[in-house]
Amino acid sequence: MTATARVYISIGTNIDRERYVTAALDALADWFGNLQISPVYESESVGFDGSPFLNLVVGVDTDLGVGELSRRFKQLEAENGRRRDVPKFSARTLDLDILTYGDRTGIVDGVELPRGEIMKNAFVLRPLADIAADAVHPVCGKSYRELWRSYDTGQKLWPVDFVWQGRKISETVG
């Protein structure tokens, strides 16, 4: 029997964005029950010219293993029109990535833990710091709050209004 682990998952989309964020949140709530949900951020595409993305991070507790989670996420992406026959940096309906799985590190069932994007992309680190500020990155040993405070790549993102299941989970600032 696998012990329960806290898992942080990034969600991103730049095609029919509200529809696919909602589809991801609905599926995650069905699978895991209570979700810890960050604000939703809009950001410019990184690595290619494309429409802006919506990104957020969700925390769940699960006893599913890394491999099973990865399979479920790939299936959910496919059910929501995600194409794998296009360049890596291109528009997408839905992208779900396991950012952390407890304090596991290394390659686990083909998944890099913690995911390298945490340290590289504002659209991953900022929402993670919003919901797991005091959690510690299992490799560098700094909290996500500390990492966000020292983050400086020039990537821009901004919170947007987003309502899910009648609950405002995010709002535009300013």
Side-chain angles (χ1 to χ4, degrees), residues 41-46 122-123 148 151 153-158:
Y41 291 92
E42 186 174 50
S43 65
E44 298 169 346
S45 1
V46 173
F123 59 81
W148 177 247
Y151 184 84
T153 68
Q155 288 181 7
K156 307 234 181 311
L157 72 162
W158 47 96

Side-chain angles (χ1 to χ4, degrees), residues 40-62:
V40 178
Y41 291 92
E42 186 174 50
S43 65
E44 298 169 346
S45 1
V46 173
F48 71 102
D49 261 345
S51 302
F53 274 78
L54 287 185
N55 293 95
L56 66 154
V57 170
V58 173
V60 302
D61 294 311
T62 185

Side-chain angles (χ1 to χ4, degrees), residues 36-165:
Q36 182 183 19
I37 305 172
S38 78
V40 178
Y41 291 92
E42 186 174 50
S43 65
E44 298 169 346
S45 1
V46 173
F48 71 102
D49 261 345
S51 302
F53 274 78
L54 287 185
N55 293 95
L56 66 154
V57 170
V58 173
V60 302
D61 294 311
T62 185
D63 57 2
L64 295 175
V66 173
E68 177 62 20
L69 285 176
S70 181
R71 282 187 291 281
R72 284 186 182 206
F73 295 166
K74 283 182 175 32
Q75 180 63 35
L76 180 60
E77 290 170 344
E79 289 169 0
N80 283 279
R82 171 77 185 266
R83 296 190 46 203
R84 302 248 177 233
D85 61 345
V86 295
K88 178 179 179 181
F89 294 107
S90 61
R92 60 200 57 187
T93 56
L94 188 57
D95 186 25
L96 292 121
D97 293 310
I98 300 168
L99 300 176
T100 65
Y101 185 97
D103 59 0
R104 300 278 306 265
T105 61
I107 304 298
V108 179
D109 295 333
V111 177
E112 172 196 17
L113 295 173
R115 190 164 180 91
E117 285 182 279
I118 293 170
M119 306 290 275
K120 295 178 187 158
N121 291 315
F123 59 81
V124 175
L125 181 56
R126 173 67 189 269
L128 181 58
D130 286 338
I131 62 171
D134 296 324
V136 173
H137 188 283
V139 173
C140 77
K142 293 183 178 181
S143 74
Y144 296 113
R145 174 186 290 116
E146 291 175 282
L147 291 171
W148 177 247
R149 283 184 180 155
S150 64
Y151 184 84
D152 186 23
T153 68
Q155 288 181 7
K156 307 234 181 311
L157 72 162
W158 47 96
V160 295
D161 291 331
F162 201 92
V163 175
W164 176 65
Q165 294 186 348

Side-chain angles (χ1 to χ4, degrees), residues 22-35 37 58 60 164-165:
T22 297
L25 291 173
D26 288 346
L28 293 174
D30 285 347
W31 292 338
F32 304 109
N34 190 38
L35 305 178
I37 305 172
V58 173
V60 302
W164 176 65
Q165 294 186 348

